[in-house]
Amino acid sequence: MKITKVKAVYYSATGNAKKVVEAIAGTMAKELDVPMESYDFTLPKNRTEVQVYGPEDLVVFGTPVYAGRVPNKMLPVVQGNFKGEGALAVPVVVFGNRNFDNGLIELRNELENNGFHTVAGAGIATSHVFSDVIAPGRPDEKDMALIEEFAKKAARKVSEMTEIPAPIAVRGDDPVGPYYTPLGTDGKPAVFLKAKPLTNMELCDGCGICAQVCPMGSINPENCAEVTGICIKCQACIKKCPKKAKYFDDPAFLSHVAMLEQNYTRRAEPEMFL
Ligand SMILES: Cc1cc2nc3c(=O)[nH]c(=O)nc-3n(C[C@H](O)[C@H](O)[C@H](O)COP(=O)(O)O)c2cc1C
Ligand code: SF4
Ligand code: SF4
């Protein structure tokens, strides 16, 4: 199959999906000897235009898994803003060491519905944005070596391909199953949909970074302590605040994080599909 460009396309609130998607796309571009370009749709300003691809494009498309699926607030963006028009695609999800559940198969199905032909796929274990003790430092060297090997094999598959294959077979339920229900330490559902980050005003210097990095555009730039819109708990404001002034104190959210720390510190391995 003739490919003239590789695109790394991703939503990545705290950088793990970006790192993995760009590594896969970069290696595939190198192997295919074509240029690589990135398109980051994390911020609202990059979700205003529809991106149209074509048969000579190969798109490595990635998101994190939220509640075992593609982040639900990004699903309409995935569905509406990207037209494959015959482009090849590699769906990639990153997950915080618990499980990617139905996230990868959902992303594969959405890309196929949008006119992409999926040729490989990956579910990559990473650090969990909710906790510093769940898979810290991942993807690590071992992960990156596996990712490179996968990308090389995927590039070889593409270059040897003479016709469009069936959608790549990946792990997950089809039709896609329900969202994962977060649990607390008591084993009961932890309901924290309405939780929003708080700001320690003794630490905050009003730099405005948190407002700039919120994927929902939900932090008031004039008053960064005020969350005016929906919070998807992505942790971008928490991780990127230089003064460590942001935090969650919602008991249900903290109980879910504690449950994850009790049960999901074992090493989950990446899963690749070719
Ligand atoms: C709201 C939310 C829900 C999440 N749900 C899951 C999950 O179901 N399973 C899992 O293993 N990780 C889960 N994670 C962890 C992220 O998938 C993981 O940390 C990912 O690397 C974040 O990607 P990013 O750095 O590109 O934002 C969740 C994270 C958030 C913010
Ligand atoms: S990023 Fe941190 S220090 Fe800067 S305005 Fe936001 S809360 Fe304050
Ligand atoms: S306010 Fe919520 S949605 Fe916005 S960056 Fe912070 S955690 Fe993410």
Side-chain angles (χ1 to χ4, degrees):
M1 215 113 268
K2 188 181 169 216
I3 295 296
T4 54
K5 209 168 260 174
V6 176
K7 316 254 176 162
V9 177
Y10 51 85
Y11 160 77
S12 184
T14 69
N16 282 337
K18 172 181 161 74
K19 181 173 183 184
V20 169
V21 168
E22 287 188 336
I24 294 172
T27 299
M28 290 190 80
K30 205 168 145 205
E31 293 292 302
L32 295 168
D33 199 19
V34 297
M36 191 270 259
E37 270 173 22
S38 288
Y39 189 80
D40 178 349
F41 66 96
T42 307
L43 295 178
K45 66 174 169 33
N46 292 344
R47 303 200 293 263
T48 56
E49 281 172 17
V50 174
Q51 306 298 308
V52 183
Y53 305 99
E56 294 193 1
D57 291 322
L58 187 144
V59 180
V60 182
F61 197 111
T63 72
V65 164
Y66 288 180
R69 300 266 301 265
V70 171
N72 67 337
K73 295 290 176 206
M74 291 303 138
L75 188 57
V77 183
V78 172
Q79 290 170 329
N81 287 33
F82 301 96
K83 306 277 171 231
E85 303 207 346
L88 301 187
V90 178
V92 175
V93 293
V94 296
F95 67 101
N97 206 49
R98 186 188 64 76
N99 202 312
F100 61 82
D101 297 330
N102 287 303
L104 183 57
I105 202 160
E106 181 178 30
L107 184 58
R108 180 205 70 177
N109 289 354
E110 295 300 342
L111 292 175
E112 289 281 340
N113 287 341
N114 290 356
F116 293 91
H117 302 296
T118 57
V119 295
I124 307 292
T126 64
S127 56
H128 200 302
V129 286
F130 288 172
S131 166
D132 290 339
V133 300
I134 303 176
R138 293 189 72 194
D140 57 18
E141 254 178 61
K142 190 179 162 211
D143 295 314
M144 295 312 285
L146 290 171
I147 285 168
E148 190 179 359
E149 194 186 312
F150 162 74
K152 283 183 177 167
K153 284 186 186 158
R156 198 171 319 129
K157 180 175 175 180
V158 166
S159 58
E160 288 170 359
M161 208 175 260
T162 50
E163 54 190 54
I164 298 299
I168 186 70
V170 297
R171 177 166 71 77
D173 302 327
D174 200 6
V176 173
Y179 290 93
Y180 160 78
T181 303
L183 303 175
T185 47
D186 57 2
K188 295 189 182 137
V191 183
F192 51 82
L193 265 179
K194 296 210 168 124
K196 292 179 175 184
L198 300 177
T199 308
N200 181 338
M201 293 313 288
E202 281 177 18
L203 297 176
C204 171
D205 66 2
C207 71
I209 290 174
C210 53
Q212 289 160 18
V213 302
C214 176
M216 301 308 291
S218 287
I219 299 179
N220 179 358
E222 307 299 323
N223 171 13
C224 289
E226 196 190 351
V227 181
T228 51
I230 290 171
C231 171
I232 57 173
K233 270 58 84 182
C234 74
Q235 314 294 306
C237 60
I238 309 267
K239 299 251 175 203
K240 295 180 186 177
C241 169
K243 300 287 176 189
K244 300 200 186 318
K246 293 255 181 231
Y247 62 100
F248 278 90
D249 77 342
D250 182 272
F253 176 76
L254 296 180
S255 177
H256 176 55
V257 176
M259 186 287 292
L260 291 171
E261 290 176 348
Q262 281 167 16
N263 296 294
Y264 294 102
T265 52
R266 60 49 185 134
R267 187 179 178 96
E269 291 302 332
E271 292 177 50
M272 278 88 159
F273 305 88
L274 280 159

